[in-house]
Amino acid sequence: MALTARGFRGTPETSVTVRTSAGPMDGGQIRATGTDGGFVVVASGRGFPAPVIWCCDREDTQVVVESDGRRGAPEVVAAALDGTRVRMLARRATGGVLISADASESAPRRTEAGFPGRPGPRQAAMARGLVAWADTPAYGRGRVVRVGTPTDTGVRGVRSLAQPGPVLGLWAAPGVVVAATRVRGRVEVARHDLPRGVRRVLWRGPAVPPLAVGGGAVAVADGRRVLAGRGAALRPVRTARGVVAALATDGRRLAVFERGTVKNTRRRDARGRVLPPTRKVTVVRLVRIP
């Protein structure tokens, strides 16, 4: 299915439906890597650990690589594809755990390793060959972002990236970590290009904005003004027509998910019930990052 400047065109090649009887879902993460179309979904919910699904093998089969609804089970807070392995960072009451599993039904090899941290909500991010997190001490949110390389046996090469305030959110792509921190009552979004990790502020505002990182680019929605760039500065690339719900980028292109309303073309549905004059939709706009 192609995504053009006018939206989606064609028929979806792979349709993925995520359902669970463990409880109500409230969103999730989608992490992709490479050019083969593979991706991982962390289907988060309220009151139960999120299942993790990999898609897809040569027969378009989805594989649940992690699912444990028992009380006290590890809660997956970040995941990424790393070659043929799915890396997952999970939280237990006693601390973090790094889980790795093959993205295949034919070889479900699974390992667990100790993790040198205890990240809080929205304080962890993973990408191919990279994990970033901020520990949450008893007295408040962490002020240091730690990065390392996840493996089957643990995290290697851990280093620290000092932050000027509490960490409110983390995003990661190969070679790049983006942190949102609270500084003097406002939010700063800064990027760290690895391995040096120098902190460069990209944006300041009143709250954590919709944000995406990928292919060396960072994009931020400042209200309806969408900014993006690959270096130390962001430039306006679009003015959204509706509320920006989410962003996604591969470094060259940026997908802007805009919420809005359209007129109903029919007055009644199949059961004869009167339809409202408008309906809510989400429109994907594709723009090029200069």
Side-chain angles (χ1 to χ4, degrees):
M1 189 173 189
L3 179 58
T4 70
R6 295 180 176 274
F8 291 105
R9 293 290 184 272
T11 303
E13 295 180 3
T14 302
S15 178
V16 177
T17 303
V18 179
R19 298 185 179 94
T20 178
S21 59
M25 294 175 58
D26 59 5
Q29 305 175 42
I30 300 177
R31 304 295 299 172
T33 187
T35 59
D36 60 357
F39 59 91
V40 173
V41 178
V42 181
S44 63
R46 299 189 297 273
F48 64 92
V52 181
I53 301 102
W54 168 76
C55 180
C56 291
D57 63 15
R58 294 180 180 178
E59 297 178 352
D60 288 340
T61 300
Q62 307 162 38
V63 179
V64 179
V65 294
E66 184 70 14
S67 180
D68 190 343
R70 297 174 298 177
R71 184 181 299 274
E75 175 190 0
V76 175
V77 295
L81 274 172
D82 191 359
T84 61
R85 300 286 274 167
V86 179
R87 309 286 188 194
M88 296 163 277
L89 174 55
R91 295 186 302 166
R92 285 180 171 148
T94 56
V97 58
L98 182 63
I99 303 171
S100 300
D102 283 310
S104 171
E105 279 187 315
S106 60
R109 184 170 61 92
R110 182 182 184 278
T111 62
E112 287 191 13
F115 187 78
R118 189 176 181 181
R122 297 177 296 279
Q123 289 183 298
M126 298 186 76
R128 186 180 66 252
L130 172 65
V131 58
W133 75 96
D135 292 321
T136 301
Y139 53 82
R141 293 180 182 271
R143 291 173 179 261
V144 175
V145 173
R146 292 183 170 84
V147 297
T149 302
T151 70
D152 285 359
T153 57
V155 182
R156 298 176 180 172
V158 177
R159 59 176 301 188
S160 298
L161 305 174
Q163 303 298 314
V167 177
L168 307 179
L170 282 176
W171 298 260
V176 180
V177 173
V178 176
T181 58
R182 176 80 60 188
V183 182
R184 293 185 291 276
R186 291 175 65 79
V187 174
E188 287 187 358
V189 171
R191 70 178 289 160
H192 299 264
D193 289 283
L194 304 176
R196 292 185 62 194
V198 176
R199 184 176 185 270
R200 295 187 289 180
V201 177
L202 302 178
W203 179 88
R204 293 181 176 90
V208 178
L211 189 151
V213 55
V218 178
V220 170
D222 186 353
R224 295 194 179 188
R225 191 173 64 132
V226 181
L227 314 170
R230 298 186 187 88
L234 302 181
R235 298 179 180 180
V237 295
R238 177 172 174 78
T239 299
R241 299 178 184 176
V243 175
V244 178
L247 301 170
T249 181
D250 63 0
R252 297 180 298 105
R253 300 170 300 170
L254 174 65
V256 184
F257 294 75
E258 304 175 15
R259 288 182 177 150
T261 59
V262 296
K263 292 182 179 180
N264 269 325
T265 57
R266 297 184 302 166
R267 297 184 60 183
R268 296 179 181 273
D269 62 13
R271 297 183 179 182
R273 294 174 297 191
V274 177
L275 295 171
T278 61
R279 57 190 172 90
K280 295 181 180 179
V281 297
T282 299
V283 179
V284 182
R285 307 288 184 186
L286 193 66
V287 296
R288 187 172 296 278
I289 298 177

